[in-house]
Structure formats: structure tokens, C-alpha cells
Amino acid sequence: MPRPEITKAAIKAEAARLKAFFEAEGALPVEMDILLPAEVLLDLYGEDIRARAYMTQDPERGEMMLRPDFTVPVVQEHMSNGAEPARYTYAGEVFRKQEDMPTRANEYVQVGYEVFDGSDPAAADAEVFAHFANVLSDSGLHAATGDIGILKAAVAGLKTTERRRAALLRHIWRPRRFRALMTRFSESGTTLRLQNLERVRANLAQPEAPFIGLRTQTEIDMRIEALEEDASEPPISAGEIELLDDILSLKETLPHVLSQLRDITVDLPAISEAVSLLSRRTEALAKRGVDVDNLDFEASYGRTSMEYYDGFVFGFYAEGRPDLPPVATGGRYDALTAVLGQGRSIPAVGGVIRPNVLLSLKGGA
């Protein structure tokens, strides 16, 4: 039997209900422009966002973009005018191309809750997650959590060059590229690094080799210098590669993951602060009534879809419905506030709910 179609009126009513819940928890309701300057979003995400966003040209304001999400404009507004601490909620349409999944809506409503408060990040993380768990408690959803900050701390603590660490950190959100770099910088990648260098030298040694592409001679020289430096450096040790693999493979309930991470900390002390934050967050979640003993944690969670998150991440899903996107997602985005804050930054965490997906699980309206 086909599911009943969900009307726009029903989606707006559900969005209003969710927004009212967050307002009752102390959030200030805010409105954001639908048409946004593209420059900021392009600076943040690079040209890749053009494939996912709707672009247009304004004769006076230049290149513009239909709002792909609320987080960036909310952060901009807060960093310009907001007092601290602050809690915001909003509801409205976002617009995203769905070329890879054409059956999914390219215009849909988001309801969000954002917290700007640096006094106790673990408590703020727990606050946001608990509010989402409460408002979604009657929907039979599965919750997943993770922490990008642990993997970032592990990479930052590797005994290797700053250039290699920077490359790995840059590609944390691209698992295949990250894995390829891990292999290249390891003992098994030594031969490949030397071959790449010799191949570039051989190409440049050709007397009539033409310039193809946009790179200047200076950029080419810098690239050769980087390849030479990398080829001369010792590989990342097998022990450190194994520790990274151990972290990436963690997928268990939160208490079990904490126990394993504490063991890894003995050999990789660089993650100790991030693990301590996870421990404090776990305690804060428990104080808010979250069943942490049965809460799933996956170290790689969020790496393919949450690029501006840099710490705690979470999602709520309908098990057995792979055709549906997550009902809710969220996490911590401290670095984003620094990028948009014009010299200021503040710890921030938040998330969004898709009321249309939530209604589809309830049978429509």
C-alpha cells in the first residue's frame, strides 16, 4: 500500500512544533536570508559546492547562492551581533541538488538548534544531543555518535613532517584519499614516493616539454621541492599507522570505545585531551538521562557528510530505511566560528532535523 503524500502544510506544522520545543528550552528564534552571497560558502567549501548548490548572478551583489543550510548564516549573524552565551532555533527551506540521489528532495525544511557557549563544551554537546533525543523520542530512531576531534588529535600527534600532518588533516573528510595518504607515507609507500619523484623529474627533463595547465614555474618548483622533501623523510612508523587503524575501526557502545581509547592513549598520548573530553561528555550525557551504556559510537562517523564539524558528531536514523536520509544530524564546529568570526571564535555545537523525513516515518499527513 503506497504511503500517503506529505503536504507542505503538514511539514510546516511539524517544523513549528519542533521549533517551539527548542524555544521552550531557551533558544532565541531567528530568521536567515534565503539568498546568500556565494563568496563565503565558496571560500569555506571550495568549488565543489557548486555541484550541490543552486547558483545565480545578481547585477549588484554578484554571485549568489540559494541557502544550502542554516549553520553558516547563523554563525555569521552571531559572530557579528550575538551576545554570549547564546542559543538559537530556526525553521525554513534549504536547497540542494541531488544528482547522486535524484529521488531525494532538492528543497526541504530544516529545523535547527545551535548553542554558542564556551563555558563547558562537554555539557553543551550533551545538552544539544539530549534535546534532540527528547524531541525525537517517540519516533523509534537509532542514534549514532562519533568524534572527529579524536582522529584530528591522533594525526596532529604523529611523529612526521608538518607537511604530511597537514595533508592528512586536510583529507580527514575524504576517507579514500586519507587512506591513500596513510599508505603513501608508510613504509610500504616508500617505493611509490621515490617513483613519483623520478617520474616528475623525467617529465621535466624533456627538452621540448610544453607547459600544460595553469601552474606557474614557481608552483612547479615548489611541488618538486615538496616531493624531494617527502622522499627523503623516514616513513610514518608501522606502530603509528596501526594505532590510526585501531582508532578508525572503533565501532562499539560508548563505554567500550572509551575503554579502548584509554588503552590507545598509552601509546599515543596526543589524543589524551580529546579522550578526556569524550569521557566528560559521556558523564554529561548520563546526567541528562541518556542511556550511554547502549549509545553507539563510531570513530569514523561523519567523515563523509559533515565537513565543517571538528569534534562531537551525531545522527538519528530510521533503521531498515536506507532510502531515507538521516532524520537529524549535528555536531561541534568550533573552527567554523574562527573562520567566520573575523578574528574572534567561540565553541559552538548544534544540529538540524528534517521534519518531512520525520513525518514520513509517522505515516504522513
Side-chain angles (χ1 to χ4, degrees):
M1 180 179 177
R3 292 182 175 86
E5 183 179 352
I6 304 170
T7 65
K8 286 189 175 181
I11 294 171
K12 288 184 177 181
E14 180 68 0
R17 181 188 74 84
L18 295 167
K19 185 181 176 187
F21 173 90
F22 293 125
E23 286 185 52
E25 295 295 339
L28 176 70
V30 291
E31 298 285 343
M32 294 291 117
D33 292 339
I34 291 177
L35 198 59
L36 304 173
E39 182 180 3
V40 172
L41 291 151
L42 288 168
D43 287 345
L44 279 173
Y45 303 116
E47 291 295 321
D48 289 350
I49 198 173
R50 291 183 186 274
R52 309 193 302 272
Y54 289 94
M55 311 288 295
T56 188
Q57 190 73 28
D58 184 272
E60 294 186 2
R61 301 174 67 188
E63 201 166 28
M64 306 294 289
M65 183 183 299
L66 285 178
R67 183 173 61 207
D69 67 26
F70 276 88
T71 303
V72 169
V74 168
V75 171
Q76 286 182 300
E77 177 67 21
H78 175 77
M79 300 309 286
S80 298
N81 305 305
E84 297 169 7
R87 284 153 177 79
Y88 303 110
T89 186
Y90 49 80
E93 292 83 1
V94 296
F95 308 85
R96 296 182 189 175
K97 296 177 184 177
Q98 302 287 358
E99 294 180 0
D100 295 335
M101 291 172 282
T103 58
R104 291 187 178 178
N106 53 10
E107 175 186 349
Y108 56 90
V109 173
Q110 279 186 348
V111 179
Y113 178 68
E114 313 287 345
V115 174
F116 295 80
D117 188 346
S119 61
D120 189 342
D125 290 347
E127 172 190 329
V128 171
F129 181 87
H131 286 342
F132 275 66
N134 288 338
V135 78
L136 300 171
S137 60
D138 63 349
S139 304
L141 301 174
H142 174 76
T145 65
D147 194 332
I148 301 294
I150 292 172
L151 182 56
K152 291 184 69 175
V155 170
L158 293 174
K159 297 181 179 67
T160 188
T161 65
E162 180 60 34
R163 196 190 299 270
R164 287 179 180 174
R165 287 194 295 267
L168 287 166
L169 286 170
R170 188 167 58 251
H171 292 288
I172 275 179
W173 291 273
R174 300 172 181 85
R176 289 185 181 178
R177 178 61 175 158
F178 185 86
R179 172 62 60 182
L181 286 173
M182 281 178 60
T183 300
R184 193 175 99 186
F185 298 150
S186 69
E187 179 67 42
S188 62
T190 300
T191 300
L192 179 61
R193 295 197 302 275
L194 292 171
Q195 288 175 342
N196 286 341
L197 177 59
E198 290 307 316
R199 187 180 300 113
V200 171
R201 284 172 171 168
N203 288 339
L204 292 175
Q206 297 180 29
E208 302 298 327
F211 267 88
I212 299 174
L214 300 177
R215 287 187 176 179
T216 65
Q217 183 64 54
T218 299
E219 290 172 323
I220 293 172
D221 292 341
M222 290 176 62
R223 177 58 179 161
I224 294 172
E225 181 182 342
L227 288 171
E228 289 176 337
E229 176 190 309
D230 195 52
S232 66
E233 290 291 335
I236 297 175
S237 72
E240 287 192 321
I241 293 292
E242 185 177 349
L243 289 171
L244 275 180
D245 281 330
D246 288 344
I247 291 172
L248 289 169
S249 65
L250 288 175
K251 188 176 182 181
E252 249 288 4
T253 56
L254 193 46
H256 286 90
V257 168
L258 257 176
S259 177
Q260 294 175 68
L261 283 170
R262 285 172 177 140
D263 290 341
I264 293 173
T265 302
V266 174
D267 297 310
L268 190 61
I271 68 170
S272 59
E273 184 176 341
V275 174
S276 177
L277 175 59
L278 176 60
S279 179
R280 297 195 302 275
R281 183 187 306 131
T282 303
E283 293 174 1
L285 286 167
K287 288 180 180 178
R288 285 187 170 269
V290 176
D291 181 10
V292 294
D293 289 338
N294 293 297
L295 182 60
D296 284 347
F297 182 98
E298 182 178 354
S300 287
Y301 179 72
R303 289 179 63 207
T304 59
S305 58
M306 301 180 173
E307 191 163 336
Y308 54 66
Y309 294 130
D310 53 13
F312 175 54
V313 287
F314 67 86
F316 289 84
Y317 302 82
E319 289 189 290
R321 292 295 305 274
D323 58 309
L324 293 177
V327 174
T329 54
R332 177 160 291 280
Y333 50 90
D334 296 351
L336 183 62
T337 72
V339 172
L340 299 176
Q342 299 178 345
R344 297 172 56 241
S345 64
I346 179 175
V349 59
V352 295
I353 299 173
R354 292 185 175 198
N356 62 312
V357 180
L358 190 57
L359 283 177
S360 71
L361 297 172
K362 295 179 178 180

